[in-house]
Amino acid sequence: MSRDEATLSRLLHTLSSGDYHSGDELGQRLGISRAAVWKQLQKLSELGIELESVRGRGYRLLGGLELLEPDRLWAQLRDQTRNQLTELEVLSVTDSTNSQAMQRAALGQGGYVCLAEQQTAGRGRRGRTWVSPFARNLYLSLSWGFEGGAAQLEGLSLAVGVAMCQVLESEGVGSVGLKWPNDLLWQQRKLAGVLLEMTGDPAGACQVVVGVGLNLAMPDQPARDIEQPWADLETVCASERCPVPGRNALAARLIDALVALLSGYHREGFAAWREAWLARDAFAGRRVVVSSGARAQEGIARGVDVSGALLLEQDGERILCHGGELSMRAAS
């Protein structure tokens, strides 16, 4: 981390409480001039962080921020999780956590966790952009090694969705559903998504990267770039009258859940997760359109089989639709 980056990080931590701090106080804390403080504050604005300035009181971050802290995250993990991880890294700004984890995976490093405060090129499935404002949501990727190749990964994105739902349910959020093959929905609005990528031998030793994005408190300005109905945990928790989980605590619980899932998946496969997925199926019995490029099929969603393939009913017969590049939406 450069000196300038370190100064910006210290400024963020100072302002994260949401309290007012004068320019003189900030300069003394950071060991820089008032002019340098102003330049650093401008950088916060460039990150999309809303600052309030009041004459005679100073500057503050509206609502404060809970920044991700590696030591705090590590301390909140279960012992068995820590024993299976090789590294946990928190980045301030990166292109995408999946890209970082894929670089480690290509070198054969499993058990690597990457989180970021902001992604400049966050990705969803099929090349879609994942809107990633600074320190408001969770962007998390984890690399993991499998010896049995791609066959062992069938249905994994669906199982990850179940694990995420279970974590949210443990926090009092009980109304989140799953959309095949990789979305978490609240009232038919996207709350979270899963992106899986693989490197290595498709038939042998390989590394999979599990990336998850979860909206916690989406600011209005970046939300305008989201091209579909969306929700965040602040909205969900206000509706369900439960507290919004802290970012560090929630990230730790998600890491615990993902490590537990991945460590046993080569033995259990999706079959062990299927009933839990079906219980949270947001499209069960609904007419849907399944598409891949220009090709589309319409039918009734009848859940998934033991491999995680969608069961699509057409004229009384059921056909299997496997994930890959397919997408599903409600029929109009």
Side-chain angles (χ1 to χ4, degrees):
M1 182 184 292
S2 69
R3 182 176 178 181
D4 196 51
E5 289 172 334
T7 300
L8 184 62
S9 177
R10 289 166 57 204
L11 174 62
L12 268 170
H13 278 84
T14 300
L15 293 171
S16 63
S17 66
D19 298 329
Y20 283 105
H21 298 272
S22 70
D24 286 336
E25 178 194 347
L26 291 174
Q28 291 171 7
R29 287 199 181 198
L30 302 176
I32 59 178
S33 66
R34 282 290 301 271
V37 167
W38 174 249
K39 289 182 180 179
Q40 293 292 337
L41 292 173
Q42 291 300 109
K43 290 180 182 178
L44 295 187
S45 296
E46 291 168 7
L47 290 173
I49 298 173
E50 295 184 25
L51 282 172
E52 182 181 74
S53 175
V54 176
R55 184 181 295 275
R57 303 189 70 182
Y59 307 92
R60 70 169 179 170
L61 291 180
L62 294 172
L65 286 177
E66 182 185 345
L67 299 171
L68 297 173
E69 301 176 29
D71 292 343
R72 186 174 170 189
L73 277 167
W74 190 257
Q76 293 184 79
L77 296 175
R78 299 171 186 155
D79 289 342
Q80 56 266 44
T81 300
R82 289 194 290 263
N83 291 337
Q84 295 181 85
L85 295 181
T86 59
E87 185 179 356
L88 187 154
E89 184 173 30
V90 175
L91 302 174
S92 178
V93 179
T94 189
D95 51 355
S96 82
T97 57
N98 256 40
S99 294
Q100 296 298 318
M102 281 293 287
Q103 292 176 24
R104 301 304 182 96
L107 298 174
Q109 183 181 358
Y112 166 74
V113 177
C114 179
L115 301 102
E117 298 290 8
Q118 184 178 45
Q119 299 180 118
T120 59
R123 293 178 289 126
R125 282 182 75 243
R126 306 176 75 199
R128 294 189 178 95
T129 298
W130 190 270
V131 177
S132 309
F134 192 94
R136 292 298 185 182
N137 304 320
L138 285 181
Y139 323 114
L140 184 162
S141 297
L142 168 61
S143 65
W144 202 264
F146 284 86
E147 294 299 323
Q152 286 190 342
L153 308 181
E154 282 190 333
L156 180 56
S157 66
L158 281 73
V160 170
V162 173
M164 293 178 68
C165 278
Q166 291 173 340
V167 169
L168 293 175
E169 288 160 7
S170 73
E171 298 286 345
V173 181
S175 60
V176 177
L178 293 167
K179 176 190 173 187
W180 183 89
N182 70 329
D183 291 346
L184 278 68
L185 304 180
W186 181 75
Q187 295 186 1
Q188 300 302 312
R189 291 184 275 167
K190 189 166 181 173
L191 177 67
V194 179
L195 175 64
L196 263 57
E197 297 183 281
M198 191 191 82
T199 186
D201 185 353
C206 64
Q207 294 275 342
V208 65
V209 168
V210 177
V212 300
L214 174 61
N215 297 333
L216 268 70
M218 182 69 74
D220 291 338
Q221 184 63 39
R224 294 171 186 168
D225 294 327
I226 302 177
E227 297 176 347
Q228 60 184 302
W230 60 272
D232 59 17
L233 273 185
E234 274 197 352
T235 304
V236 176
C237 290
S239 175
E240 301 194 1
R241 296 177 180 168
C242 61
V244 180
R247 293 177 75 228
N248 285 277
L250 184 57
R253 297 291 73 77
L254 285 172
I255 295 168
D256 279 337
L258 292 175
V259 168
L261 161 62
L262 291 167
S263 62
Y265 202 76
H266 65 287
R267 295 187 303 269
E268 304 168 343
F270 180 67
W273 296 83
R274 178 173 178 259
E275 290 303 320
W277 194 94
L278 292 173
R280 297 166 175 83
D281 184 0
F283 281 76
R286 295 182 61 187
R287 183 163 288 278
V288 299
V289 175
V290 179
S291 59
S292 176
R295 184 170 180 265
Q297 302 178 83
E298 186 170 334
I300 299 173
R302 296 299 187 190
V304 295
D305 73 354
V306 292
S307 73
L310 176 70
L311 296 170
L312 186 67
E313 182 180 310
Q314 293 179 320
D315 300 324
E317 295 185 6
R318 294 186 180 185
I319 61 173
L320 294 178
C321 301
H322 295 272
E325 291 302 305
L326 294 179
S327 65
M328 185 186 75
R329 60 177 173 81
S332 57

